[in-house]
Amino acid sequence: MENNLTAAPIVKKTLIGQRVRKPDAPEKATGKTRYINDMVLPQMLIGKVLFAGRAHARIIRIDTSAAEKLPGVYAVLTGKDAAGLKFGFVRDNVALKDQVRCEHDEIAAVAAETEEIARRALLLIEVEYEDLPGVFTPEAGALVGAPLVHQNFPGNKSLSFEFKHGDLAAAEALSDYVVDNVFRPHHVTHCCMGTSCAIADFDHNGKLTIWTQTQYPYNYKMDLAPALGISPGDIRVIQPPVGGAFGSKLDVYPYEPIAALLAKKTGRPVKVIYSREEEFKAAPTRQAAIIHMRTGCTRDGTLTFRSADVLLDNGAYTSWGPTIPVIMMRTTSGHYRVPVVDFKAQAIYTNNPYAGSFRGYGNVQTTYATAQQMDMLADLVDIEPLEFHLKNAQKSGEVTPQKSFLRECVLAECLETAAKASDYSRKRKEYAALRDLPGRYKKGIGLASSIHNAGGAKIHKSDGIGTILKVDDFARVTVITGASEIGQGIDAVITLIVAEELGVPLEHVTIVNNDSDIAPWDVGVHASRTTFIAGNGTRRAARKAKEQILNAAAKMLDEPAGTLELRGGSVVRDNCGTPLIELDRLLRRMHFQAEPELVMVSDYYEPKSEPEGAKHISDHSAAYSHAVHIAEITVDTLTGEIKVDKVTVAQDVGRVINRMGLEGQIEGGIAIGLGYALSENMRIEKGMLTNPCFRDYKLITAPEMPPLDLHFIESNCAEGPYGAKGVSELPTIVIAPAIANALYNATGVRIFNPPMSPEAVARAIDETRQAGGRRESE
Amino acid sequence: MMSVETEIRFKLNGREVALMVPVTMNTLSMLRDKLGMTGTKYACGEGECGACTIRIDGKTVNSCLMYAVDCDGRELVTIEGLRTPEGLHPVQQAFVDHGAVQCGFCMPGMIMQADYLVENNPNLTREEAQRGLEGNLCRCTGYTKVLDAVEAVVEAKKCCGRC
Ligand code: FES
Ligand code: FES
């Protein structure tokens, strides 16, 4: 084709905003994908864990001799084998315990030839416990003289946080209306369809290879190392495909060091995998909390202050759960223009299960409060909620009290778009008028919004990513990246960006991102950051490769530099699209010429954000985003059942990259939020989970999923890849309060303690009727 | 103490299989642990999630709830058996094309159930598909794209009547 001027021009077609298939979907749809749960290694043993099954106890005696003698058993470990190997945020956890602090405390572990033998071995372990009085609510834990969960944490005090801005007393004096409520967001759990699993193996130099579901491979090494007493440098992390994560794999949990300790002891690979019941009991939860929130405004509907006093149920150990105030305070101070803020949070150890990070990370709980209080205040001021929201909505360029810089802010546009699309104002009035008339079924419509970081969150020293990109002699591209794939679809985004920049077919892009010995640093999948951060990393690397390729082409073809482009697998003249040489031929020429060159580039991208800092006054994300949800529901006032008829969504996505993946993230995020709002609830009685199965812990199923009307507002983020922002947490955050506000519109009741289960709603309606009218019921 | 084993014979994805299984073993474990057919997934073991859905004599069942010995003399189709020599089965293809697959862990079961629904009801509506997939839990997708894919298969079948 070279110098063949008759060849048809190749027109530029952008892939940005198109619908691109997930590269791994065909393998997954045919059952070919080898998930970690499916993996079997030669010589592999099966590890099983003995859980305490009681909430607080001393171990008087433990006898493993019978288990050790069982044929097929290779190792039995107890607390003494992990003694001193503390890990976790505040080093309060060990892989195997010598004291019981919660139901799922790991007391012993067995490695055996088969799962059946391992199970039988567990039954042969004799443990004598002395049960101790426990604490099962943060209030109880905070009482003077309460039993201590950890002797070295007096008052059961775990982490605490504080942020104050402005003069609270003055703001209160200025307020014509103040709403003051206590919200009690509950315990829920991730319910990844693939249960927790790890496989560990040591080599003769003492280097550990661990196959794990982790979504943060590099910090994971740092966190796992102390649990084993080895160097992080001696850990290789391999991430096979996983059956979901949603934040649950953002920390080390004891089954992982247990697999490694068993592997060390036996000299063989050991796999630990949970049953569903074990998963319910031992996997992390979403942080439960008690939020005392107050918000004030003036008669004309201008917000004056917001205060939040938060007590967190830390559970028995400190994982990511009790760190959520980092985001809770951003919402408290940044959800609409709040001039005065007073936030404090204290986490209290209890003998309950402990929380990790979970999609929405603190913002699910906080927005449930802030978004309902916005609705209540609008009612008090007696203006349209939409108008009230618009009046207090920030605009581009505003800075929140914590110094979140809202560079591109389209909150008002999101509000107006969603309200118009759903005919919100008219329906709201109409339903409110019908509320107190007779009739079993009531309709309601509710609006809620929230703000979330959308360009990472610099809570670690770095929020960056490394990318290595090579283009081989056949114009096949390999991207070696730290970005983990956990089902969310970063694989499709990376493929799309490479194809966009280098003009190669999507199928010619391979991603290597699952081996810490190969791929460079990344912080992990969290904070809605991966499309933003890895998207930027990929684009920068691809542009470096492109520059090298086009420079070589210009020289070789004697074309002026800066006039060439890559398109349709060829080098073309940018202005007219005339193809000059096929890319693969060019690459071979570059490689095999007198001064040979290979195309292999690397990039380190660190977003322009500021470290969170101890004072929490920093522009900690490279972007922020808003979403508005309007939920339309029908309430059966007899049974209390809420049917969600439709949800209208307007979200600032910056710019659409892969439209199909984006829709999937919003739809899936809403499904998790719906479960949180309506049905999911870990029923924990005196520290013991009473519903560890899908029959009694109800996820949203296909018939309950409402139709969604999605509107993507493109604010074109200057720092984002092609303008994109992170998207995937907001859908989980905003839906519950939208339903809560719709419930109020329909029935006049509010539920402060989610979920809005039929029992809770029916009870609230009954109480309201008995009280002779509308009442805000707890 | 190992449980009693017995020999069973059945057809798996069109091929004859004969093997010894413990009488207490369920079909899901037999497929995964004895036959290495790991396409079918475990996610609850109690008939509550549908991840282990396979076809037996044309009907879909939760393989975790069925004893392996009860497969004797019957015909099993698993997700691995859906693929045709020409490529993906139309239901699999529709799931891929419509973005119905995220982590994918629920998908073998979801696709087996979806295939059963469209095969047995050429006029399957979206509501019927929702009800028919009620027993298949997915934590990632919110089912919307799953239903889009199923609708597309129903439509495509209507137009050519062959697939
Ligand atoms: S594994 Fe069989 S229904 Fe869940
Ligand atoms: S795609 Fe992940 S559970 Fe369905």
Side-chain angles (χ1 to χ4, degrees), chain A residues 193 243-244 246, chain B residues 100-107 137-141:
Chain A
M193 285 297 121
F246 316 110
Chain B
V101 180
Q102 289 189 24
C103 87
F105 205 82
C106 68
M107 285 299 153
L137 298 178
C138 173
R139 194 53 154 168
C140 296
T141 66

Side-chain angles (χ1 to χ4, degrees), chain A residues 523-555:
Chain A
V523 177
V525 180
H526 80 118
S528 299
R529 72 185 278 284
T530 310
T531 290
F532 192 98
I533 307 285
N536 269 332
T538 304
R539 183 163 77 150
R540 287 157 54 106
R543 288 197 169 167
K544 283 183 190 172
K546 180 157 127 181
E547 195 185 315
Q548 187 187 346
I549 292 166
L550 292 182
N551 283 341
K555 224 160 94 191

Side-chain angles (χ1 to χ4, degrees), chain B residues 28 41-52 62-64:
Chain B
L28 176 62
K41 299 301 180 211
Y42 163 93
C44 77
E46 309 188 311
E48 295 290 334
C49 77
C52 64
N62 289 328
S63 61
C64 69

Side-chain angles (χ1 to χ4, degrees), chain A residues 35 38 120 190 276 663, chain B residues 1 41 43 103 139 145:
Chain A
Y35 292 87
D38 304 325
R120 277 192 283 138
H190 307 71
R276 178 56 59 187
E663 290 168 356
Chain B
M1 254 204 295
K41 299 301 180 211
C103 87
R139 194 53 154 168
K145 300 223 172 310

Side-chain angles (χ1 to χ4, degrees), chain A residues 151-178:
Chain A
Q151 291 308 320
N152 54 337
F153 286 89
N156 286 317
K157 281 194 176 154
S158 171
L159 308 178
S160 64
F161 299 82
E162 200 174 67
F163 174 75
K164 284 185 198 310
H165 178 84
D167 183 340
L168 183 65
E172 286 187 36
L174 217 96
S175 306
D176 297 304
Y177 301 103
V178 174

